[in-house]
Amino acid sequence: WRTFVWMLEADIRSVKKSQWSRSGGGRWSGDVTLNMKLRYALIFLTALAIVTYHHVQKEFFGPRLETMVIYENYYANERDPEVTCQFPILHPFDESILPHVKIAKPIRCFARNKILTMIDEDGYLKFNKSGLVEGGYDIDSPPSCYFQEIFRAPKSDFDVIYSNPTLMKGCDQLQSDFVFVECYNFAGISIYQNFHASVQHNQYVRKFKDDLELSVAVIGLDSMSRLNFMRQLPLSYRYITDVMEGVVLLGFNKVGENTFPNLVPMLTGRPSAWGAYYHYENWPFVWKQFADEGAATMYSEDLPQFNMFDYLSTGLQHQPTVHYMRTFWLAVEKSLLHRMSSTYCLGARPKHLIYFHYLLSFLRVYRDSPAFLFSLFNEASHDYVNTVGAIDQDLRDFLNASLTEGLFNRTVVLILGDHGNRIDPIRLTDVGRIEDRMPMVSVVMPKWTDKIYPGWREALQKNSKRLLSSYDIHGTFLDVLSTLQKPGSVDVQSVFEFEKLKETGLDIRWAKHFSAKSPEMSFFRPVPLDRTCSEAGIPDWFCVCQTDQEKLSLDDARSISAAQTVVKHFNEDLLRGLTQCATQELTAVESAVMTQHRKHTSEYRVQVMFRTRPGNGVFEASVDVRVTDGREERRVVGELLRINRYGSQADCLPAELRANSTILRGVCYCK
């Protein structure tokens, strides 16, 4: 492009010197004009060819991720032959998925200003001296800046309140975790804006009482399978396994389709309940039990429009934990600064760094107190499998800072995903289907716990090769919670008694739901070798233990009939009365497998992947078939899954209807 500009300037100079004549409108003569147009066209086409070649060479002939990240041991030889469920242990770079695997593009934040303000480790708002120097300001005479603290609005999960603007003095104590800063020049024109997030100590959180007590920290990444973690986050993965000596759970199986039905079992030990239009008040979330024992609590997610309790929902009426990062991101996403920032950035900083800094500030502030931290970072991994690699070094640095500063000395750390990616093109492959069902879960224990709780690590290592589910995370939380309780205290499971649940204000149906027996076990107690998906709370259609399956051809009558049965169910049942939605038609069967009933040879199940129109939807479903007197009866069973993107195609439906039916959002295509 510099060459292009230079040649353009040269053309202008040469034309000025050339002989030219004027016609009626005073235009350049035709031969000169034509020569200039041809020259510019040639320059443009040359530049376009160079740029195209660069991108093609980078895409098709540049380094491949599978040649840069090598795993000689990916656990395939570590299977326990005595475990009944022989779940898949696949190579992270299986040949079938290589076309879908790419190196993540780096995150680059472009901002006209340096970072002029900061919150120090003691929680004070100060001027950033290095930023002032880089921005050309005098350290002793910084610009005039005002700050506003940000608070959650009462009884609202969707609004925030700003305090009145206060002039920065350079060492300002804050009451809130979140603050907005704006600076002005001598003319009163805004020259700088920024948001900061840093935990302020809560006076009601107690200190550790003895050397037996432990904390919990969950570092979550949305839509993150174990295999994709190994591919895209190799620095972090090796740090977890080699330096932190974390145990990776090879047989962990999700229990629900998306975030909500997988996290609710983690936080309550019970399945996700019906009806998203509810404030979730008095649900027995485990962070409440930790808070009752005097622990600091945090629940953090980014992307507030997609948060677990708020997506197409009424949200949480009351703040669920002592520290709640949703408030910060609500303020950020409504700001001009966010709208003007680069992708994945807030001004000059990547958003994931702001997120990690907030978690780190929590760990630092409560290093001497029991704590429960539950976090899920969404933006880098929610939509695509190949974008999360951009945060690998920073995630590794966050873990390293926490470890070397001693912040994990009394903490059981879980680095995990809620499920694998559900909508990226990789999901259409057989490996992608397994990845969706088997998220990353690793557990790091302080070494000193081996003496105090000698059976925990041994059980964890054995369980790493056994069938586990989202419910078991809750059981593990309760084991850690028990370390905070006095001898003779009420059993940690007592909060799930029907009468006690009613006393909290839950109505009868919710009390019955949460008082039902949980399938949970604990990572720190031996899980049976012969545990089944049913016993672990894993529905059949998500179970990875299937070994006796027969692959059907795409034109097999059983494949086509199963797909047609599901499409009929779409039109006659799901879309009944919804005249704003178009009728769906089967266009192709993508894959199908059959499982024969073990006891009844006349019964079998077909799991089918198929495509429909309009909307180009790709779905997965299970159909049970029973043969009676030569007649086949078919019935759709289990969850119906839309496994490619559908965007806003169902937005003509009422929000409450979309909230209470995930599959309806994928099936309805508004006319």
Side-chain angles (χ1 to χ4, degrees):
W1 294 114
R2 289 179 179 174
T3 303
F4 175 80
V5 172
W6 176 80
M7 294 179 72
L8 178 62
E9 292 173 345
D11 270 341
I12 294 173
R13 287 194 298 269
S14 64
V15 167
K16 285 182 177 179
K17 294 179 181 179
S18 67
Q19 295 295 324
W20 58 286
S21 61
R22 285 190 175 270
S23 57
R27 299 176 182 175
W28 299 107
S29 59
D31 57 339
V32 174
T33 303
L34 180 60
N35 182 55
M36 289 176 62
K37 288 181 177 179
L38 290 174
R39 187 179 179 87
Y40 295 157
L42 181 60
I43 295 171
F44 174 77
L45 291 174
T46 302
L48 182 62
I50 293 172
V51 171
T52 303
Y53 173 79
H54 169 75
H55 286 285
V56 169
Q57 190 273 342
K58 184 178 179 181
E59 183 72 19
F60 295 103
F61 303 104
R64 298 287 302 176
L65 189 62
E66 61 269 23
T67 65
M68 300 172 64
V69 180
I70 306 297
Y71 288 102
E72 295 180 357
N73 175 22
Y74 61 95
Y75 309 105
N77 298 323
E78 298 184 20
R79 184 185 299 281
D80 186 340
E82 295 183 8
V83 174
T84 302
C85 174
Q86 294 294 295
F87 44 80
I89 301 180
L90 306 174
H91 195 287
F93 292 102
D94 186 274
E95 288 187 3
S96 66
I97 63 169
L98 292 184
H100 303 286
V101 175
K102 294 178 174 60
I103 299 173
K105 296 179 180 179
I107 296 173
R108 293 189 174 92
C109 300
F110 301 98
R112 62 186 180 90
N113 286 323
K114 302 297 180 181
I115 299 175
L116 305 183
T117 54
M118 58 177 285
I119 297 179
D120 68 12
E121 290 190 16
D122 296 321
Y124 288 91
L125 178 64
K126 295 183 175 181
F127 287 103
N128 178 22
K129 292 182 180 179
S130 61
L132 290 174
V133 171
E134 290 175 6
Y137 296 96
D138 186 343
I139 295 178
D140 297 323
S141 181
S144 176
C145 299
Y146 291 80
F147 68 91
Q148 294 176 273
E149 297 191 68
I150 305 167
F151 301 90
R152 186 179 190 266
K155 295 185 178 182
S156 173
D157 224 10
F158 299 92
D159 298 298
V160 300
I161 296 174
Y162 284 81
S163 67
N164 292 326
T166 301
L167 179 66
M168 270 189 68
K169 298 176 182 178
C171 190
D172 298 275
Q173 189 169 9
L174 303 174
Q175 303 300 316
S176 172
D177 287 1
F178 315 120
V179 64
F180 171 70
V181 182
E182 188 164 20
C183 301
Y184 302 88
N185 63 12
F186 68 93
I189 299 173
S190 175
I191 57 171
Y192 171 82
Q193 292 183 346
N194 209 349
F195 289 85
H196 298 291
S198 187
V199 164
Q200 302 295 319
H201 187 273
N202 184 283
Q203 61 178 331
Y204 297 106
V205 174
R206 68 171 175 86
K207 300 290 187 181
F208 283 119
K209 292 183 291 189
D210 54 45
D211 293 336
L212 305 179
E213 294 188 317
L214 288 166
S215 297
V216 169
V218 175
I219 313 302
L221 294 172
D222 185 62
S223 304
M224 181 55 59
S225 70
R226 178 176 62 85
L227 296 181
N228 199 41
F229 200 107
M230 294 176 73
R231 285 193 300 266
Q232 290 290 333
L233 303 169
L235 297 177
S236 301
Y237 188 85
R238 288 182 172 127
Y239 191 83
I240 292 167
T241 56
D242 298 345
V243 180
M244 301 177 75
E245 298 183 12
V247 178
V248 178
L249 307 183
L250 304 181
F252 192 92
N253 198 141
K254 76 172 189 177
V255 299
E257 181 185 2
N258 50 28
T259 298
F260 189 78
N262 284 293
L263 263 54
V264 169
M266 294 182 193
L267 295 170
T268 69
R270 274 50 179 186
S272 60
W274 58 93
Y277 264 61
Y278 187 77
H279 285 300
Y280 312 103
E281 301 308 306
N282 303 314
W283 281 26
F285 295 118
V286 71
W287 51 53
K288 292 184 179 180
Q289 292 173 269
F290 275 85
D292 290 342
E293 296 298 330
T297 55
M298 173 189 279
Y299 165 42
S300 290
E301 278 194 80
D302 60 321
L303 295 184
Q305 68 271 34
F306 296 117
N307 283 183
M308 177 171 65
F309 300 110
D310 304 276
Y311 179 57
L312 294 175
S313 183
T314 48
L316 295 159
Q317 190 173 19
H318 300 288
Q319 182 164 311
T321 52
V322 175
H323 301 279
Y324 186 46
M325 203 179 189
R326 176 176 174 80
T327 303
F328 175 79
W329 294 114
L330 280 174
V332 164
E333 296 211 349
K334 294 177 182 178
S335 69
L336 176 63
L337 175 63
H338 183 258
R339 291 194 294 271
M340 299 294 289
S341 297
S342 308
T343 305
Y344 302 127
C345 298
L346 179 64
R349 296 195 71 194
K351 285 189 278 185
H352 68 270
L353 285 181
I354 299 171
Y355 186 89
F356 290 150
H357 172 79
Y358 186 61
L359 302 190
L360 193 62
S361 71
F362 178 86
L363 296 171
R364 284 170 173 162
V365 166
Y366 297 113
R367 69 168 68 227
D368 298 320
S369 299
F372 180 88
L373 184 163
F374 193 91
S375 66
L376 188 70
F377 188 68
N378 299 295
E379 187 170 38
S381 55
H382 181 271
D383 290 338
Y384 305 97
V385 294
N386 295 312
T387 50
V388 70
I391 74 169
D392 187 21
Q393 181 66 58
D394 296 325
L395 175 58
R396 187 261 182 206
D397 290 347
F398 161 73
L399 295 174
N400 181 62
S402 301
L403 187 69
T404 55
E405 290 182 30
L407 306 180
F408 289 156
N409 285 354
R410 303 190 62 162
T411 302
V412 174
V413 183
L414 287 82
I415 299 106
L416 54 76
D418 48 354
H419 50 77
N421 197 286
R422 302 182 300 111
I423 53 177
D424 190 273
I426 199 174
R427 178 60 180 81
L428 304 183
T429 67
D430 290 339
V431 173
R433 179 177 60 83
I434 296 299
E435 287 200 34
D436 174 25
R437 287 155 169 75
M438 303 190 76
M440 166 70 171
V441 180
S442 61
V443 184
V444 180
M445 296 173 57
K447 291 182 179 180
W448 63 264
T449 57
D450 295 349
K451 296 180 181 180
I452 308 298
Y453 307 104
W456 283 17
R457 190 179 301 273
E458 180 182 0
L460 176 63
Q461 290 172 339
K462 289 181 178 179
N463 289 337
S464 68
K465 302 173 186 178
R466 301 180 185 182
L467 181 65
L468 302 167
S469 77
S470 307
Y471 293 98
D472 302 328
I473 290 179
H474 183 262
T476 305
F477 290 160
L478 295 186
D479 270 347
V480 178
L481 175 66
S482 67
T483 70
L484 306 181
Q485 296 183 318
K486 298 177 182 178
S489 298
V490 178
D491 183 72
V492 291
Q493 290 283 2
S494 63
V495 298
F496 297 99
E497 295 173 3
F498 178 73
E499 292 300 327
K500 289 191 175 181
L501 287 168
K502 285 206 314 180
E503 290 173 4
T504 65
L506 277 179
D507 61 33
I508 292 178
R509 67 168 183 164
W510 296 108
K512 286 182 177 178
H513 177 81
F514 287 111
S515 62
K517 183 175 174 57
S518 172
E520 70 186 29
M521 300 192 75
S522 168
F523 297 157
F524 300 147
R525 303 172 191 274
V527 169
L529 291 166
D530 60 351
R531 193 185 197 191
T532 65
C533 280
S534 177
E535 293 168 342
I538 304 165
D540 284 348
W541 41 94
F542 293 133
C543 181
V544 295
C545 299
Q546 306 287 352
T547 57
D548 53 348
Q549 294 181 332
E550 175 189 347
K551 194 164 187 176
L552 303 179
S553 64
L554 303 185
D555 57 357
D556 189 298
R558 292 167 293 184
S559 306
I560 297 172
S561 297
Q564 290 173 334
T565 299
V566 182
V567 175
K568 182 180 180 182
H569 172 66
F570 286 169
N571 293 322
E572 296 184 0
D573 298 322
L574 284 178
L575 301 179
R576 181 190 303 169
L578 301 177
T579 56
Q580 62 269 57
C581 302
T583 301
Q584 290 292 313
E585 299 177 12
L586 176 66
T587 59
V589 174
E590 300 290 340
S591 67
V593 293
M594 183 189 74
T595 306
Q596 192 74 46
H597 197 287
R598 293 182 178 179
K599 294 182 179 179
H600 306 287
T601 56
S602 60
E603 298 179 18
Y604 61 91
R605 173 172 294 177
V606 177
Q607 289 182 306
V608 62
M609 180 196 301
F610 60 93
R611 194 178 296 268
T612 68
R613 65 182 180 194
N616 193 35
V618 181
F619 299 90
E620 271 188 354
S622 298
V623 177
D624 278 354
V625 183
R626 173 183 293 180
V627 182
T628 306
D629 298 329
R631 293 178 57 253
E632 291 186 341
E633 299 177 3
R634 295 179 180 82
R635 180 171 61 95
V636 179
V637 294
E639 285 196 55
L640 303 170
L641 308 175
R642 172 78 184 251
I643 60 173
N644 67 336
R645 304 180 196 284
Y646 51 85
S648 59
Q649 69 169 46
D651 281 3
C652 60
L653 295 176
E656 185 170 358
L657 192 59
R658 286 181 282 131
N660 290 324
S661 178
T662 303
I663 187 58
L664 193 56
R665 300 199 295 267
V667 173
C668 177
Y669 186 86
C670 297
K671 295 179 180 178

